[in-house]
């Protein structure tokens, strides 16, 4: 029996795959070598989930991996028409980031409600300035994205006594559809973007949507950067159409020092870290090893992405 070949698109630190020792031939590639090695691999592990190299290197109709796994929740960085049209199975890291991101969103919401950014600023300035802060209990939140991350965010905010509405691709019990979004955000104190990036969601938070929100509202994006028209958000904050915002994801990453977003009033910028808790890389590697064992045993894979929709269906 031929030993399968696992190709890893590398990023430091490398994944710990010790349980697969002797059971699979592990090879490594970077952006410069991926194209030549892809046709000889049975499985591709996209460990460098910030890279767009798979899009450029995918062999089309030629020999290609039977299975691609990305160590991320989003798959927009690797999907291309040739991969979408192929019989290659794509899986993602669904489940690893749900609660960490929900906790991060709760931290941002609390920080904004309690005006912690200005408290820290005044401390640095040695300025004693008493203010009143906002009571969080009884406020309203809209979470856009009804997948595992969005549902975890909604549960966590509800635990803080925030009235929370969930918006998804299709309406169903407990989930509003896209047609309800404008009505809901017009009354919301907190609008949380946690949706996947698709053609339908790209740029969904634009000048019109920020204009719909009330002046006391805050916006948080932990989904994908291109969900937001960043220039429109910056203008909304400068004109005080909304009270504040926090971005953990951006259209282009890393955010360069020349970006005007660093100095937008009322905006918290964080470097795509909402899901990255201590030990997260080991969790991702262990998840992949579990999936590999199912694949090697001929069992159905979980976390299978609908390549046309761009996410794992069923939620």
């Amino acid at each position: 029996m031929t030993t399968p070949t696992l190709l890893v698109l590398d990023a430091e630190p490398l994944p710990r795959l010790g349980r697969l020792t002797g059971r699979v031939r592990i090879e490594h590639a970077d952006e410069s070598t991926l194209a030549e090695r892809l046709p000889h691999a049975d499985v591709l592990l996209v460990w460098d989930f910030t890279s767009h190299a798979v899009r450029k290197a995918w062999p089309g109709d030629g020999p290609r991996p039977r299975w691609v796994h990305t160590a991320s929740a989003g798959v927009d960085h690797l999907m291309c028409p040739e991969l979408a049209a192929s019989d290659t199975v794509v899986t993602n890291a669904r489940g690893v980031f749900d609660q960490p991101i929900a906790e991060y969103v709760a931290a941002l919401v609390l920080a904004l409600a309690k005006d912690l950014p200005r408290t820290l600023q005044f401390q640095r300035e040695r300025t004693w300035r008493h203010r009143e802060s906002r009571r969080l209990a009884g406020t309203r939140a809209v979470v856009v994205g009804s997948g595992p991350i969005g549902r975890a965010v909604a549960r966590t905010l509800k635990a803080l006594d925030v009235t929370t509405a969930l918006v998804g691709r299709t309406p169903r019990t407990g989930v509003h559809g896209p047609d309800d979004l404008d009505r809901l955000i017009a009354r919301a104190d907190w609008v949380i973007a946690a949706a996947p990036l698709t053609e339908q969601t790209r740029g969904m938070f634009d000048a019109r949507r920020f204009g719909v929100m009330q002046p006391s509202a805050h916006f948080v994006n932990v989904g994908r950067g291109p969900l937001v028209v960043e220039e429109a958000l910056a203008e909304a904050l400068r004109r005080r159409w909304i009270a504040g915002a926090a971005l953990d994801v951006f259209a282009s990453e890393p955010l360069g020092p020349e970006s005007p977003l660093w100095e937008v009033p009322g905006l918290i910028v964080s470097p795509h870290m909402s899901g990255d808790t201590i030990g997260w890389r080991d969790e991702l590697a262990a998840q992949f090893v579990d999936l590999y064992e199912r694949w090697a045993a001929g069992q159905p894979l979980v976390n299978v992405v609908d390549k046309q929709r761009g996410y794992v269906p069923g939620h």
Side-chain angles (χ1 to χ4, degrees):
M1 180 178 178
T2 305
T3 302
T5 297
L6 165 63
L7 181 63
V8 181
L9 180 58
D10 285 343
E12 293 293 340
L14 296 177
R16 297 182 181 181
L17 304 174
R19 280 162 51 194
L20 299 183
T21 301
R23 301 166 55 189
V24 60
R25 180 186 300 107
I26 301 177
E27 298 183 355
H28 298 269
D30 58 21
E31 294 191 1
S32 66
T33 59
L34 183 64
E36 66 179 88
R37 296 184 181 178
L38 261 179
H40 310 290
D42 297 291
V43 179
L44 172 65
L45 168 57
V46 185
W47 190 247
D48 184 359
F49 51 80
T50 65
S51 171
H52 291 81
V54 175
R55 282 183 181 177
K56 302 173 184 177
W58 193 254
D61 293 332
R64 56 189 180 267
R66 290 175 283 161
W67 167 36
V68 173
H69 177 79
T70 179
S72 60
V75 299
D76 51 279
H77 59 292
L78 59 86
M79 293 303 298
C80 60
E82 293 81 9
L83 174 54
S86 73
D87 58 0
T88 297
V89 176
V90 176
T91 57
N92 72 352
R94 183 188 190 202
V96 173
F97 301 108
D98 306 353
Q99 193 55 36
I101 291 178
E103 293 171 4
Y104 198 88
V105 169
L108 289 172
V109 167
L110 283 165
L112 291 165
K114 302 307 178 184
D115 200 22
L116 291 185
R118 285 207 304 165
T119 295
L120 295 173
Q121 175 189 334
F122 290 143
Q123 179 180 349
R124 288 191 297 270
E125 297 171 356
R126 301 184 178 223
T127 299
W128 183 275
R129 184 169 299 176
H130 180 270
R131 289 110 55 221
E132 294 176 346
S133 66
R134 191 172 190 177
R135 184 189 296 239
L136 192 58
T139 59
R140 297 173 180 268
V142 175
V143 180
V144 182
S146 60
I149 292 173
R151 294 200 303 270
V153 170
R155 286 194 305 270
T156 304
L157 292 179
K158 286 177 182 178
L160 295 170
D161 204 15
V162 177
T163 301
T164 306
L166 197 59
V167 178
R169 183 174 182 267
T170 54
R172 53 199 182 277
T173 303
V175 179
H176 295 268
D179 291 344
D180 291 335
L181 180 57
D182 286 353
R183 174 180 62 83
L184 291 169
I185 66 175
R187 303 174 59 198
D189 301 292
W190 313 98
V191 178
I192 317 298
L197 179 61
T198 67
E199 288 308 308
Q200 290 71 39
T201 62
R202 184 181 297 273
M204 67 184 301
F205 290 101
D206 55 10
R208 188 189 69 79
R209 282 256 158 78
F210 291 123
V212 168
M213 297 178 195
Q214 54 187 351
S216 59
H218 291 77
F219 175 77
V220 176
N221 186 16
V222 290
R224 306 297 288 170
L227 298 178
V228 178
V229 179
E230 293 172 347
E231 297 82 0
L233 173 61
E235 187 68 8
L237 289 166
R238 293 189 188 102
R239 291 178 177 268
R240 298 185 179 178
W241 292 351
I242 61 175
L247 298 179
D248 186 57
V249 288
F250 301 86
S252 179
E253 297 181 6
L255 193 67
E258 74 288 348
S259 172
L261 292 176
W262 292 106
E263 297 181 353
V264 173
L267 177 62
I268 296 175
V269 170
S270 60
H272 203 151
M273 59 181 284
S274 60
D276 301 348
T277 52
I278 295 169
W280 65 286
R281 290 184 178 87
D282 289 340
E283 288 187 56
L284 289 172
Q287 180 190 55
F288 172 74
V289 171
D290 288 342
L291 285 170
Y292 182 88
E293 290 177 339
R294 293 178 66 94
W295 180 81
Q299 299 174 354
L301 288 168
V302 296
N303 291 4
V304 175
V305 172
D306 183 319
K307 293 184 290 184
Q308 303 304 319
R309 297 183 181 181
Y311 55 87
V312 178
H315 47 69

